Amino acid sequence: MEGIEHRSVEVNGINMHVAEKGQGPVVLFLHGFPDLWYSWRHQILALSDRGYRCVAPDLRGFGDTDAPASVDSYNGFHVVGDLVALIQSLQVEQVFLVGHDWGALIGWYLCMFRPQLIKAYVCLSVPFPRRNPTVPTVDSMRALYGDDYYICRFQEEGKVEAEMAQVGAEYVVKNIITTRKTGPPIFPKGEYGTAFNPDMKEDLPSWLTQQDLAYFVSKFEKTGFTGGLNYYRNFNKNWELTAPWSGAKIKVPVKFIAGELDSVYTSLGMKDYIESGGFKEDVPGLEEVIIQPGVAHFNNQETPHDITNHIYNFITKF
């Protein structure tokens, strides 16, 4: 990770850890769960070499960024507020945005609330979250997949943390990042168990080294998982808060990339939403959709060179 600089920036009432490398137009990278700035290690090195200033924060509640205690501190308004302050601290008018998983969802909010700050958006894994005007998000997920769907299981404060503590941070991180199981993740009753990945192997995949895993684990052993889980606990709150944007269209230029084995792409009707034209209807700025054969959820780490090239080829158009 040579040449990557680390600093702390005061944003929106918290201290945010930021990893940064390069000079030129800013590319802002937003990670997901259970991830950190480090998820973008390959893209930071490659794109900084191609003339971009790569900026990758640990989002609030993760890694070396502050983790406020209250669940409500993790709603979309607060998280987007952090990023607006971060962009302002960079003293640029616009950034290229790249988001994955929760970072992708927060990226959609950023494009929805402050589109003038975003030159173009490369979104990985999570399509635009079309708002159901009558049914809160978690309620609709529960109706579809039941109480043991992972997002439903994440709702109760402390419960899943205790289940995760029984198996340990290394098991949790490895279990999630290495999964290739398609469809909705359904947990076993009353325990974390095999959770996301019933076929977890002893050996790591070629794209994830023991050192990579150790870095993630060292941070989550220190912070626990509550910060990240609190994002899921705000799904219904975000549904309430975004009522004024019901039916909003995203006009920022967008490129969407997902693996065909991604559990998000293969559940919640996402594949149909993308293929039927619903996605393009909600996001008139959608220019490209790439579905990667044989690739799972963590595509920025599994296929780093492909993702880097997809980002580069898109942002060079602007």
Side-chain angles (χ1 to χ4, degrees):
M1 297 298 102
E2 206 172 305
I4 296 178
E5 295 178 357
H6 296 267
R7 59 196 176 92
S8 183
V9 185
E10 281 188 38
V11 296
N12 193 26
I14 65 167
N15 294 304
M16 175 174 263
H17 166 246
V18 176
E20 187 174 339
K21 186 171 193 235
Q23 299 295 323
V26 173
V27 184
L28 177 62
F29 294 94
L30 308 179
H31 69 79
F33 178 86
D35 278 333
L36 302 161
W37 74 268
Y38 189 80
S39 320
W40 301 108
R41 58 199 176 278
H42 304 292
Q43 289 77 27
I44 292 169
L45 295 175
L47 290 169
S48 62
D49 280 350
R50 296 190 196 181
Y52 290 91
R53 181 183 177 189
C54 297
V55 178
D58 285 334
L59 296 178
R60 66 164 57 203
F62 288 90
D64 295 320
T65 291
D66 288 350
S70 74
V71 171
D72 190 59
S73 297
Y74 295 83
N75 73 50
F77 281 5
H78 291 308
V79 182
V80 170
D82 298 345
L83 299 170
V84 169
L86 175 61
I87 292 167
Q88 289 169 343
S89 80
L90 300 171
Q91 299 184 309
V92 294
E93 289 186 9
Q94 286 190 310
V95 299
F96 291 114
L97 185 64
V98 182
H100 173 257
D101 188 79
W102 261 106
L105 264 177
I106 297 301
W108 288 118
Y109 286 153
L110 190 49
C111 291
M112 195 156 67
F113 303 155
R114 298 297 298 273
Q116 72 276 21
L117 296 177
I118 311 303
K119 208 175 293 184
Y121 179 30
V122 179
C123 176
L124 309 186
S125 174
V126 182
F128 179 74
R130 176 185 281 184
R131 186 181 184 277
N132 183 320
T134 55
V135 186
T137 309
V138 178
D139 299 32
S140 64
M141 290 170 173
R142 199 182 302 275
L144 201 56
Y145 295 133
D147 291 338
D148 292 317
Y149 179 57
Y150 78 107
I151 289 172
C152 300
R153 284 281 288 274
F154 284 0
Q155 294 304 305
E156 189 181 329
E157 288 177 64
K159 193 171 182 189
V160 76
E161 285 95 328
E163 293 169 1
M164 287 175 167
Q166 288 178 340
V167 296
E170 181 169 354
Y171 182 93
V172 171
V173 173
K174 182 179 174 186
N175 176 264
I176 299 174
I177 292 183
T178 64
T179 189
R180 308 187 76 70
K181 187 175 186 297
T182 56
I186 310 291
F187 278 23
K189 288 265 180 219
E191 60 172 359
Y192 186 83
T194 56
F196 291 87
N197 191 357
D199 306 312
M200 192 165 98
K201 295 176 173 58
E202 191 61 39
D203 293 339
L204 292 173
S206 59
W207 49 268
L208 188 72
T209 69
Q210 198 60 51
Q211 289 84 351
D212 294 334
L213 180 62
Y215 184 84
F216 287 117
V217 171
S218 70
K219 297 300 179 184
F220 284 107
E221 281 181 341
K222 190 182 81 172
T223 63
F225 293 99
T226 298
L229 293 167
N230 282 342
Y231 285 70
Y232 296 90
R233 292 168 184 151
N234 275 283
F235 262 121
N236 278 0
K237 183 68 173 179
N238 290 338
W239 177 82
E240 284 179 29
L241 292 172
T242 54
W245 288 271
S246 221
K249 308 291 185 192
I250 303 295
K251 293 174 182 160
V252 169
V254 174
K255 180 174 188 170
F256 177 78
I257 312 164
E260 69 167 351
L261 305 178
D262 188 329
S263 61
V264 178
Y265 177 64
T266 55
S267 62
L268 296 168
M270 293 296 188
K271 194 173 173 185
D272 182 59
Y273 171 65
I274 293 165
E275 290 175 355
S276 70
F279 190 16
K280 177 68 175 170
E281 188 185 318
D282 293 339
V283 184
L286 182 66
E287 296 190 13
E288 289 181 69
V289 172
I290 308 289
I291 305 301
Q292 299 172 287
V295 175
H297 179 65
F298 294 87
N299 53 350
N300 53 339
Q301 298 180 72
E302 183 180 342
T303 59
H305 304 301
D306 282 355
I307 294 298
T308 295
N309 288 332
H310 278 305
I311 295 168
Y312 181 74
N313 292 338
F314 190 58
I315 66 177
T316 48
K317 291 161 60 173
F318 302 96

